[in-house]
Structures are given as structure tokens and as C-alpha cells.
């Protein structure tokens, strides 16, 4: 069902999302709708267990949730109108009187560099009234850009929870630190988790944008999280501005020297802010970041990659040169930064494709993601992604499929290889191949897609107790 009037986020809501890493919103379904949804969930969990990735076809009413204008509008605002509902989805069932552990969700492992720019987001949907005592999801505001868990036990009062009436949902940055809270009522608490991916880089604001400047937007309610240069850059990126920090501040030697100390320090949020600040400090700041990319401490190299990823076109030749480095982490970090510079980095594509012969699966996975972000020249990018579809590493293969969704119709040459991927033993390689075929959308792609969907169609009402 097409949503003609999605309820887009306001400037204030977008600033809150960028700063805090989450928004708590609510759909407008009736109590009877949610009561029926919870009844179905209880019956299925009792008799069949968790339906996992089959959550949508098994409980058809859930699809109505993701067609709701509030949810469509929130996702469109953050991820653009062509966002992808990921193949992985999961119904979380909480009866534990103890809170869960703080964590970030993985990307099928924890060794991938996480994007500060919102290429991914999650929705956690609560189909029943969920007071604090029932154990809603808790999030730690402002931690979406921190690799390490930097908050201490005495800061737990700042935890935010997705408590509320049936129909409440949390829209969260994929990388925020979160946990389940204690369910002390002893009644089942369901939370339906879905992942979403941006398939096109932002060319301009896709929310209900009124103000052009980050500083002109005032939050509706005060936030305990202080925003700074990182958050402002992300606002600019979402507004369609790539490398907006480059040269935006004076090239001050004393300031740069202080920022170097900050970059190499132990306080991660402060070090990350320094990386972004250095990106704004002209050629002097750029040179510091390029040197730091080769730093003995891999953590400093990673922070430098974030700074270089927002430093504009002038850093691209040096990043391409860094792809020849002997250290795996340096190569990986350089490739990541090139991807965030998108089509500005198209000169890097030949060397990125050459890295697909690298023994490091970590590097090859990053290259698959990066090629889809750069996107041009199309023929060379698609050739690299086709090679990725045939890689020995399953994560390389399924990342190739996701990246092909970002290329769309111009990836038609990949269709025969995607058809072969539909026989892959890994469910996500198959799932991402289907998505790639859908986004390519040519006659040949659609024929392959429809044949596969009909061959593997699943009856949502067939159960062990009702086989025909």
C-alpha cells in the first residue's frame, strides 16, 4: 500500500535524533488492533516459538504497522524515501526480572567501522502497553558515535526508555548503546525489532525542513546530551552537503597542536570531536589526519578515518595512496573514508576493485560497502560487486547484494550472478540478492525475482496443527 501522506519529522525532531540517537513516537492504531496483535504473538510464541525472520508473513498485521504514516514518515526523514526493510527482523520476548547487558547491535560481527552518518536505523515496536515495570528497551542518549561504552554506573539516571501505550516505538540510530530493562511484572513483553537501510545518499533534506542552519533549530525540550561539531556535520550531510567541514575554520597552528593532543587522548568523545575539528582546519588539519591514519595506535587511525571522511575532495589522492599500505587496519580505514566521500572518490574505484584479491576478508567486506556508496563509474563499480557476489566469504557476498540495491537499474549486468546467488546456503546472501533484483527492476530482474518468490512462497497460516 502506497503511503501518500507520511508524517515527516520536524527540524526539532531531526536535531533531537541526531543529538540523542533516538526518538520515541507513537502510531494511531486502535486498542483493539493491538490487542489482536498481542493475542497472535502469544499464540505463536506458545505453540511455535519465535518466528524470527518470518515475523512479517506469519503475522500479517505487522505489515500494517510499517505502512503507518508515522513510521513511514520517520524512516523517510532519516533514511530517505527509498529505504530498504532489511531481511533480518526479530520479535524480542522479555520475561526477565533482571536488566540485559548494554550493547550495540552487530553487523554480523563487531569488526566493521560504524557509520556516523545514518545509513542504517532500527525500529523497536511495542504492541502492548509497556510501563517501565514491564521492561521496555533502554537507550543511553548520545552514545551512537562512541565505539566504547564511556558512561559510568552513576550516570544510569540518564537512561531513556521506550515506555508508553501500545503502539509506542523507538526509532534509533543503529549504533546506539541499548539494553532490555527489568520486567518485574512477570507478564510477557514483546518488542518487534526491524532494521532499515538507506539505499541512496541524501541530495537534500527529506524531513519537514524549515531551517537551513543547525544553530537556528531549538529543541522542543532540553537535552542532557551536548551537541557539537559531529552532530552539526551530520545535519549538513543529511541536507546533501558532502565534506561541508573542509576549510570551514581558520588554519590555526596553536589550535591544531592542541587538537593533536586531544586526538591521541583517552577520552573517546573528545578525541572524535578533535578529528572532526581537524577536518575543518584546512591543509594543516588535513595533514595531521593523514599522518594519524598511519598511527601506531589503531584506535587513533580509526578516529582519523572519521575526520578524513568529512574533509572533502582534497584528501582523496592521499587516501587512495593509503590503500597500498601494508597494515590491514590502515587500508580498511582509508577505504571507509573514501566511501563516505561518495562520488567525489570515484578515482579510487580501480584500486578498490584490486583489493578484492586481498587476503583480508575484513577489507573485502569494507570494499563491498564502499563501492555501493561511491556508485560511479557504474560499469567498474558493478564489476567489483559482481566479483563480490562470488567471494568465498559470506559477508562479502551479502554486502555485495546490499550495495547493488544502491546502484539500481544500472546494475543490470549483475542479474545473472544474482540469480546464482539465490541458491546460496546463506539466508542473507539469498535475501539481499532478492532485494537487489527488486531495486534493479528491469524486465529480466523482475522475471528472476518473481520466479524465485513463487518457487519459495510460504503459507502464513500453515502450522503443525493445520497442514492443509
Amino acid at each position: 500500500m502506497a503511503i501518500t501522506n507520511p508524517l515527516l519529522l520536524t527540524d526539532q525532531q531531526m536535531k533531537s535524533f541526531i543529538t540523542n540517537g533516538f526518538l520515541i513516537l507513537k502510531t494511531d492504531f486502535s486498542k483493539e488492533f493491538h490487542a489482536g496483535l498481542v493475542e497472535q504473538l502469544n499464540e505463536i510464541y506458545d505453540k511455535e516459538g519465535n518466528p524470527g525472520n518470518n515475523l512479517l508473513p506469519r503475522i500479517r498485521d505487522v505489515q500494517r504497522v510499517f505502512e503507518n504514516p508515522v513510521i513511514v514518515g520517520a524512516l523517510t526523514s532519516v533514511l530517505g524515501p527509498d529505504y530498504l526493510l532489511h531481511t533480518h527482523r526479530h520479535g524480542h520476548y522479555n520475561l526477565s526480572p533482571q536488566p540485559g547487558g548494554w550493547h550495540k547491535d552487530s553487523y554480523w560481527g563487531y569488526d566493521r567501522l560504524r557509520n556516523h552518518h545514518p545509513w542504517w536505523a532500527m525500529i523497536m515496536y511495542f504492541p502492548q502497553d509497556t510501563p517501565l515495570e514491564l521492561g521496555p528497551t533502554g537507550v543511553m542518549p548520545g552514545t551512537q558515535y562512541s565505539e566504547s561504552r564511556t558512561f559510568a554506573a552513576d550516570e544510569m539516571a540518564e537512561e531513556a526508555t521506550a515506555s508508553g501505550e501500545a503502539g509506542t516505538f523507538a526509532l534509533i540510530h543503529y549504533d546506539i548503546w541499548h539494553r532490555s530493562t527489568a520486567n518485574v511484572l512477570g507478564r510477557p513483553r514483546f518488542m518487534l525489532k526491524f532494521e532499515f537501510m538507506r539505499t541512496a545518499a541524501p541530495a537534500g533534506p527529506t524531513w519537514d525542513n524549515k531551517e537551513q542552519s543547525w544553530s537556528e533549530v531549538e529543541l522542543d525540550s532540553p537535552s542532557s546530551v551536548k551537541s557539537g561539531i559531529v552532530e552539526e556535520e551530520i545535519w549538513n550531510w543529511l541536507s546533501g552537503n558532502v565534506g561541508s567541514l573542509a576549510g570551514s575554520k581558520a588554519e590555526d597552528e596553536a589550535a591544531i597542536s592542541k587538537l593533536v593532543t586531544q586526538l591521541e587522548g583517552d577520552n573517546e568523545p573528545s578525541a572524535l570531536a578533535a578529528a572532526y575539528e581537524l577536518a575543518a582546519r584546512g591543509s594543516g588539519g588535513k595533514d595531521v589526519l593523514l599522518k594519524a591514519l598511519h598511527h601506531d595506535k589503531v584506535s587513533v587511525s580509526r578516529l582519523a578515518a572519521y575526520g578524513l571522511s568529512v574533509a572533502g575532495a582534497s584528501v582523496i589522492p592521499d587516501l587512495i595512496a593509503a590503500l597500498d599500505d601494508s597494515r590491514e587496519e590502515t587500508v580498511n580505514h582509508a577505504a571507509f573514508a573514501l566511501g563516505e566521500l561518495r562520488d567525489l572518490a570515484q578515482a579510487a574505484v580501480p584500486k578498490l576493485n584490486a583489493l578484492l584479491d586481498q587476503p583480508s576478508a575484513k577489507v573485502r567486506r569494507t570494499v563491498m560497502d564502499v563501492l555501493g556508496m561511491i556508485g560511479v563509474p557504474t560499469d567498474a563499480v558493478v564489476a567489483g560487486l559482481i566479483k563480490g557476489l562470488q567471494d568465498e566469504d559470506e559477508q562479502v557476498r551479502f554486502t555485495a547484494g546490499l550495495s547493488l540495491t544502491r546502484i539500481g537499474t544500472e546494475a543490470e549486468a549483475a542479474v545473472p550472478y544474482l540469480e546464482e546467488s539465490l541458491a546460496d546456503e546463506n539466508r542473507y546472501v539469498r535475501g539481499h540478492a532478492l532485494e537487489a533484483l527488486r531495486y534493479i527492476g528491469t524486465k529480466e530482474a523482475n522475471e528472476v525475482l518473481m520466479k524465485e518468490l513463487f518457487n519459495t512462497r510460504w503459507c502464513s497460516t500453515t502450522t503443525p496443527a493445520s497442514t492443509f
Side-chain angles (χ1 to χ4, degrees):
M1 181 177 70
I3 306 301
T4 55
N5 293 302
L7 188 60
L8 299 175
L9 299 180
T10 65
D11 285 336
Q12 289 76 19
Q13 287 174 313
M14 281 298 293
K15 186 166 187 174
S16 180
F17 177 81
I18 293 168
T19 300
N20 295 303
F22 73 97
L23 286 173
I24 305 300
L25 300 167
K26 189 177 183 300
T27 58
D28 56 359
F29 291 106
S30 68
K31 290 184 177 180
E32 291 74 19
F33 171 83
H34 281 111
L37 186 53
V38 171
E39 183 179 357
Q40 291 179 74
L41 284 164
N42 276 314
E43 182 177 1
I44 289 169
Y45 271 70
D46 287 345
K47 295 181 179 178
E48 304 168 29
N50 193 326
N53 289 343
N54 287 325
L55 188 59
L56 273 182
R58 187 66 187 89
I59 306 175
R60 300 289 293 274
D61 280 342
V62 176
Q63 183 59 53
R64 291 179 57 192
V65 171
F66 290 100
E67 293 168 347
N68 185 274
V70 177
I71 287 185
V72 174
L75 289 167
T76 298
S77 297
V78 171
L79 298 178
D82 296 320
Y83 61 83
L84 178 150
L85 169 57
H86 193 270
T87 307
H88 173 66
R89 58 287 302 257
H90 194 74
H92 286 255
Y93 180 89
N94 180 19
L95 266 177
S96 174
Q98 300 298 323
W102 288 103
H103 65 282
K104 290 174 180 265
D105 277 22
S106 81
Y107 296 89
W108 295 271
Y110 288 91
D111 60 358
R112 168 181 166 158
L113 270 76
R114 294 173 179 269
N115 304 94
H116 294 161
H117 299 141
W119 288 97
W120 291 78
M122 282 195 289
I123 278 183
M124 298 178 171
Y125 189 82
F126 295 84
Q128 72 282 294
D129 290 345
T130 310
L132 186 60
E133 295 80 9
L134 196 61
T137 299
V139 298
M140 190 52 62
T143 57
Q144 65 274 20
Y145 310 123
S146 296
E147 188 74 12
S148 58
R149 196 179 75 182
T150 56
F151 46 90
D154 60 358
E155 294 176 313
M156 288 297 102
E158 297 180 5
E159 178 179 3
T161 63
S163 60
E165 296 179 344
T168 297
F169 70 95
L171 170 70
I172 70 171
H173 190 291
Y174 190 91
D175 300 322
I176 201 167
W177 286 92
H178 61 280
R179 67 172 182 174
S180 59
T181 60
N183 181 350
V184 298
L185 296 182
R187 301 198 308 265
R189 185 276 279 160
F190 292 100
M191 181 271 281
L192 311 182
K193 185 188 79 174
F194 290 78
E195 301 175 359
F196 299 85
M197 189 189 84
R198 173 184 285 278
T199 63
T206 55
W207 66 95
D208 184 18
N209 177 232
K210 306 295 185 186
E211 304 291 349
Q212 299 305 306
S213 171
W214 167 264
S215 60
E216 293 175 355
V217 180
E218 294 186 8
L219 296 178
D220 290 332
S221 57
S223 170
S224 60
V225 180
K226 293 181 179 180
S227 61
I229 192 169
V230 177
E231 292 79 7
E232 184 172 1
E233 194 284 330
I234 290 166
W235 170 279
N236 292 336
W237 184 87
L238 283 164
S239 300
N241 301 316
V242 183
S244 63
L245 286 183
S248 61
K249 295 193 176 184
E251 190 172 339
D252 183 318
E253 288 187 14
I256 289 173
S257 178
K258 185 177 179 181
L259 289 168
V260 171
T261 302
Q262 196 174 319
L263 178 70
E264 297 177 345
D266 294 330
N267 184 305
E268 187 191 1
S270 176
L272 180 61
Y276 276 69
E277 283 278 356
L278 285 163
R281 296 285 181 173
S283 60
K286 177 190 78 171
D287 290 345
V288 167
L289 289 170
L290 287 167
K291 183 179 179 181
L293 190 66
H294 302 271
H295 200 283
D296 290 343
K297 289 175 66 175
V298 172
S299 59
V300 175
S301 174
R302 178 178 58 80
L303 290 166
Y306 285 118
L308 291 165
S309 75
V310 299
S314 67
V315 301
I316 289 172
D318 293 292
L319 287 171
I320 293 174
L323 297 176
D324 290 325
D325 199 87
S326 59
R327 187 173 69 168
E328 176 191 64
E329 291 85 359
T330 300
V331 175
N332 203 46
H333 296 162
F336 170 86
L338 287 164
E340 288 288 7
L341 289 164
R342 293 154 39 186
D343 60 318
L344 296 177
Q346 61 182 288
V349 169
K351 192 165 280 189
L352 288 166
N353 279 347
L355 289 175
L356 295 175
D357 294 320
Q358 245 243 19
S360 168
K362 180 193 290 189
V363 169
R364 301 199 309 275
R365 293 168 190 168
T366 298
V367 169
M368 284 298 98
D369 201 31
V370 163
L371 287 173
M373 290 172 161
I374 295 174
V376 289
T378 308
D379 288 349
V381 166
V382 172
L385 295 176
I386 287 172
K387 187 170 184 177
L389 288 173
Q390 301 166 85
D391 196 274
E392 64 181 11
D393 181 79
E394 61 186 16
Q395 291 193 41
V396 174
R397 298 198 300 276
F398 68 58
T399 305
L402 283 179
S403 283
L404 284 164
T405 67
R406 292 178 170 144
I407 308 302
T409 305
E410 293 182 74
E412 187 172 15
V415 170
Y417 302 92
L418 290 166
E419 185 172 14
E420 291 178 10
S421 295
L422 297 175
D424 198 281
E425 62 185 15
N426 182 280
R427 72 186 76 181
Y428 296 112
V429 174
R430 300 193 302 271
H432 297 172
L434 288 170
E435 290 291 358
L437 289 164
R438 182 165 71 95
Y439 276 85
I440 291 170
T442 61
K443 183 175 184 293
E444 181 187 3
N446 286 336
E447 286 175 353
V448 174
L449 177 63
M450 292 303 291
K451 179 182 176 182
E452 179 68 12
L453 291 177
F454 271 92
N455 285 344
T456 59
R457 66 190 183 276
W458 187 65
C459 177
S460 61
T461 57
T462 297
T463 67
S466 175
T467 56
F468 62 90

